[in-house]
Amino acid sequence: MRTLPSYLCGAWAEGKGDLETLVNPATEEPLAQAGAGGLDRKAALEHARTKGGPGLRALTFAERGALLQAMGDALQAHRNELLDLSVTSGGNTRGDAKFDVDGAIFTLAAYADLGKGLGEVKVLADGEGIPLARNPRFHGQHILVPRTGVAVHVNAFNFPAWGLAEKAAVALLAGMPVVTKPATSSALVAHRILEILTEAQALPEGALSLLMGAAGDLLEHVGPFDVVAFTGSSDTGASIRSLPQVIKNSVRVNVEADSLNAAVLGPDVAAGEETWDYFVKDVLRDMTQKAGQKCTAIRRVLVPSDRADRLRDDLVDRLSAITVGNPALESVRMGPVATASQLEDVRSGVAQLARDGRLVFGSGEVQAVGAPPGKGFFTTPVLIEVEAGAPAPSVHSREVFGPVATLVPYSGRAEEAAELVSRGRGGLVSSVYSEDAAFTADVVLGIAPFHGRVFLGSAKIAEASPGPGTVLPMLVHGGPGRAGGGEELGGLRGLAFYMQRVALEGSRPVIEKIVR
Ligand code: NAP
């Protein structure tokens, strides 16, 4: 079986010792092995700092933008191959695979455009100049310059392509080299991406490296000018934040973690209306797309009590039509979850949530279409319902990272909806679906302090919008509290994490020469 090498210090190198076997989650067929035993992670970080950093910083934003475009073009040229790999290695339907792979290409293109727009400069002005005295020569100006270290990216298993690209696009445009570590279980796609990019010679030496297998001591070698961007569970995020080297060197850490995203249906929306159907469609998409393994998926569905029965029936009706099975088959709408441990986690999570209410759809047990008997990490979609006013502590605290959502009836009052949503203690994105602008505004302002993004669902945007579960590069991604407290993307805002903000204070003409 093939062992997937890492790409470190400008060369491919296989790990030794214990290797993890990567399998097809639908068939459990072994696909490859990966491990990072014996690889010199310290040298890899130093190579990125000393070779990759200077090369990138010598370029203007427009030139770095052109690199991102070349990366996107290279991936586009291999899109079908990446989609196939995503289906076999990640349990993704072709639609799920597109979500990841096309999301990667789209994000690279979006940041390529931003680079082009910034033009032939290497320093960014941060806001306007500030007069500091009556004498107009004494002047202040904030600027952003690239950090001189390495950006270490640690990604979750659910988006091996997008996760790599969305972080790398921002870091590379800012002028920082990247060492990226995908989650091992689904790393085949990330590995192939690095192969494609190195074959295409899309990037200067040291700009992008790949560590396959466990992080090991990778983060023990971070220094004061490095940054760490992590996506994954809260527990791993907390352990990274508390590493002595990270604390001692004041290393910037961005954490993207769990989230109990909620969607609120407004009391003005009646069954059968356009907004109702739009709401049902978005809930259904988030439950089943990537088998619910999206950090932004709707987990809590808030519905006015007087129409909870109808919404439950509508959802159950649609969920009954979902074919679960081997995603290589066109007829399959939902594939397996990514790993055996993920399946175990989903099962124990469902059992916990069900104690807060009752199961109204899906037992978890499924006859998966097109999978060998007894094989694959399959579950049904699962819908749970709690009683109006029930405290349901687990529903508001346990993220079940699978095709699982809970119906939470509420009175129809905006304040109650906002209070219930905020019990998630910080989230990536929550939504309100209503045509009543006053209700929408009350909910939005009630939940905004607890989220990185709020989605305003309305029939008026239904055609144009991909729904709350899609992260767009122009808008910030991240959230406070349990979501990790991080912030990524957001167009140019994302660059600030990888750059040092410096206040210049001095003679205006000299400052204006530096910041043109
Ligand atoms: P995880 O177990 O925390 O793993 C995430 C990444 O961290 C993997 O690459 C993993 O590598 C690595 N890792 C594990 N232990 C580490 C350590 N001690 N030091 C450094 N790296 C370490 O999370 P997961 O199960 O892959 O992801 C699922 C979670 O991610 C869910 O809770 C989901 O909500 C969250 N998520 C959040 C976002 C977001 O944008 N906010 C996006 C996607 C997922 P190995 O695979 O090699 O163990």
Side-chain angles (χ1 to χ4, degrees), residues 122-179:
K122 295 179 186 170
V123 174
L124 285 187
D126 179 37
E128 299 290 313
I130 309 154
L132 295 176
R134 283 221 182 119
N135 177 345
R137 280 193 169 260
F138 187 35
H139 189 72
Q141 171 72 57
H142 291 94
I143 61 167
L144 291 165
V145 292
R147 304 200 111 211
T148 56
V150 54
V152 183
H153 292 167
V154 179
N155 280 313
F157 67 82
N158 53 345
F159 288 112
W162 176 80
L164 185 160
E166 59 99 16
K167 283 184 170 59
V170 188
L172 294 170
L173 183 60
M176 277 195 94
V178 173
V179 173

Side-chain angles (χ1 to χ4, degrees), residues 284 315-324 331 333 361:
L284 201 77
L315 284 171
V316 166
D317 199 39
R318 309 277 177 95
L319 287 169
S320 315
I322 300 288
T323 311
V324 178
S331 60
R333 276 281 308 281
F361 183 85

Side-chain angles (χ1 to χ4, degrees), residues 146-235:
R147 304 200 111 211
T148 56
V150 54
V152 183
H153 292 167
V154 179
N155 280 313
F157 67 82
N158 53 345
F159 288 112
W162 176 80
L164 185 160
E166 59 99 16
K167 283 184 170 59
V170 188
L172 294 170
L173 183 60
M176 277 195 94
V178 173
V179 173
T180 188
K181 192 212 110 41
T184 305
S185 62
S186 64
L188 259 160
V189 170
H191 180 265
R192 185 64 194 127
I193 285 177
L194 254 287
E195 281 185 338
I196 291 167
L197 296 178
T198 51
E199 280 159 18
Q201 301 185 333
L203 285 164
E205 186 182 342
L208 183 59
S209 310
L210 172 81
L211 179 72
M212 298 293 293
D217 65 356
L218 178 71
L219 296 172
E220 285 169 29
H221 305 295
V222 289
F225 308 111
D226 299 334
V227 303
V228 177
F230 166 79
T231 297
S233 63
S234 304
D235 287 350

Side-chain angles (χ1 to χ4, degrees), residues 258-263 297-303 348-359 382-401 404-409 419-426 430 482:
D258 326 348
S259 184
L260 284 157
N261 315 298
I298 297 166
R299 306 286 177 202
R300 298 175 294 155
V301 183
L302 272 66
V303 51
S348 78
V350 166
Q352 186 180 342
L353 297 188
R355 289 196 281 277
D356 276 0
R358 66 186 186 102
L359 277 176
V382 175
L383 188 65
I384 292 153
E385 183 177 39
V386 300
E387 293 216 350
S394 298
V395 170
H396 300 290
S397 62
R398 170 101 190 234
E399 181 205 49
V400 182
F401 207 57
V404 181
T406 305
L407 286 172
V408 180
E419 191 279 320
L420 283 166
V421 174
S422 68
R423 286 188 201 176
R425 305 189 61 223
S430 283
R482 70 171 297 142

